[in-house]
Amino acid sequence: MRGIDPLSYLASGTIKADDVIIEGARVDLMRDKRIPMDSTAIKFMPQYLMEHSRVNADAFSVRVRDSRIRYFEFAKEGTMPGMISFDSVRMDMAPFFLRKENTSYPVEKVRMGIEAKLMNKTPIQVNSVLYFKKPYPMDLSFESGAFDFKDASDFLSKTVFARAEKGFSVGGEWEFQLDDESAMGWMKFAYQDLKIEFLDSLTLDQGKGKLKLYSVGANILIKNSNPRSASTSIVTGK
């Protein structure tokens, strides 16, 4: 933390600083779909948590630099977790406030921007605006650069039991509006020369029998979704 104001804490109990800087953070997240989700669990929006903190805190900004997030997931019938990583993470949020419950929140909205490299290769960018009014809406936009589907083989093969034999994304855009009750948006995803195969869920080997037929059908569908019917043409979907 830079620019800490100790007098503010002594006078009012509010932690004040110019900037909160986090460098070199390493975060691993895990989801196990083999375990049923708790239907009684409540998932709060970030704004709610910031308005119901255990401390009062003010900072001009929060900055994250040179960090990494890895996401692991067990499929419902999986035996090993798939992994996807977000490397070289940079995040800026400004301004940043935490307030105890029943304390007035000082701003109506906060902006947050994130840059990272998917699997340490593909550049991605996320921009969002968080609104501090029930039901806590959030505007979220996401952009990605060119991406070789083979780079995601570990995650795809172990979570959806499919593997890309070839193909790459030439870019993608997502726009969402979500709140405590619903989410809606649109996406534009472009790919080229994509060919997939379904795998045996136990061995992760090439699928046989009906799985092989599914692979043939899926690749026909992928090719025919391109109205120009050329394997090298770029396809976008919304």
Side-chain angles (χ1 to χ4, degrees):
M1 298 178 71
R2 296 192 310 185
I4 298 176
D5 184 354
L7 295 179
S8 174
Y9 182 75
L10 293 174
S12 64
T14 299
I15 301 171
K16 287 189 176 183
D18 291 337
D19 301 291
V20 177
I21 302 174
I22 302 171
E23 293 187 2
R26 298 292 183 262
V27 179
D28 288 343
L29 305 174
M30 169 71 76
R31 183 181 181 187
D32 193 339
K33 291 186 175 180
R34 301 171 302 176
I35 302 174
M37 293 187 66
D38 185 354
S39 60
T40 64
I42 301 176
K43 298 181 180 180
F44 295 107
M45 295 292 286
Q47 301 96 305
Y48 177 91
L49 298 176
M50 294 168 72
E51 286 187 337
H52 294 74
S53 174
R54 293 186 176 182
V55 299
N56 291 330
D58 297 355
F60 178 75
S61 68
V62 172
R63 303 177 185 180
V64 176
R65 296 291 185 268
D66 191 28
S67 296
R68 184 198 68 201
I69 300 173
R70 296 190 301 180
Y71 174 71
F72 297 84
E73 182 178 302
F74 275 99
K76 189 175 182 179
E77 299 177 356
T79 57
M80 294 182 292
M83 187 277 292
I84 195 164
S85 69
F86 301 89
D87 304 274
S88 302
V89 176
R90 294 170 56 93
M91 186 206 78
D92 292 282
M93 175 184 284
F96 179 80
F97 298 103
L98 296 177
R99 287 295 182 268
K100 295 180 180 179
E101 189 174 2
N102 298 322
T103 302
S104 176
Y105 204 78
V107 296
E108 296 182 353
K109 62 183 178 182
V110 169
R111 298 184 181 276
M112 180 175 65
I114 301 173
E115 294 180 353
K117 290 184 178 180
L118 182 64
M119 300 302 287
N120 208 24
K121 293 183 178 180
T122 304
I124 61 173
Q125 183 172 338
V126 181
N127 290 294
S128 63
V129 181
L130 291 70
Y131 299 93
F132 289 83
K133 182 179 180 180
K134 293 182 179 180
Y136 299 112
M138 179 189 301
D139 295 334
L140 185 65
S141 65
F142 176 93
E143 295 183 9
S144 69
F147 177 69
D148 189 334
F149 286 110
K150 289 184 179 180
D151 291 337
S153 291
D154 181 83
F155 185 77
L156 295 175
S157 63
K158 295 173 183 175
T159 57
V160 296
F161 309 118
R163 178 169 54 214
E165 294 185 280
K166 64 176 184 176
F168 58 92
S169 159
V170 296
E173 299 177 19
W174 290 260
E175 295 279 352
F176 291 98
Q177 292 181 329
L178 62 154
D179 57 35
D180 203 25
E181 301 171 351
S182 63
M184 62 183 298
W186 62 270
M187 64 173 286
K188 181 180 180 181
F189 184 68
Y191 60 85
Q192 192 171 11
D193 292 334
L194 179 59
K195 184 178 180 181
I196 67 171
E197 63 177 358
F198 288 101
L199 308 176
D200 184 286
S201 61
L202 294 177
T203 65
L204 299 183
D205 291 332
Q206 184 182 41
K208 299 179 180 179
K210 64 179 182 179
L211 289 176
K212 192 170 185 179
L213 292 177
Y214 291 160
S215 298
V216 172
N219 286 311
I220 291 174
L221 180 63
I222 289 171
K223 184 176 181 179
N224 288 343
S225 68
N226 180 354
R228 289 166 290 186
S229 299
S231 61
T232 57
S233 297
I234 294 174
V235 180
T236 61
K238 293 185 179 181

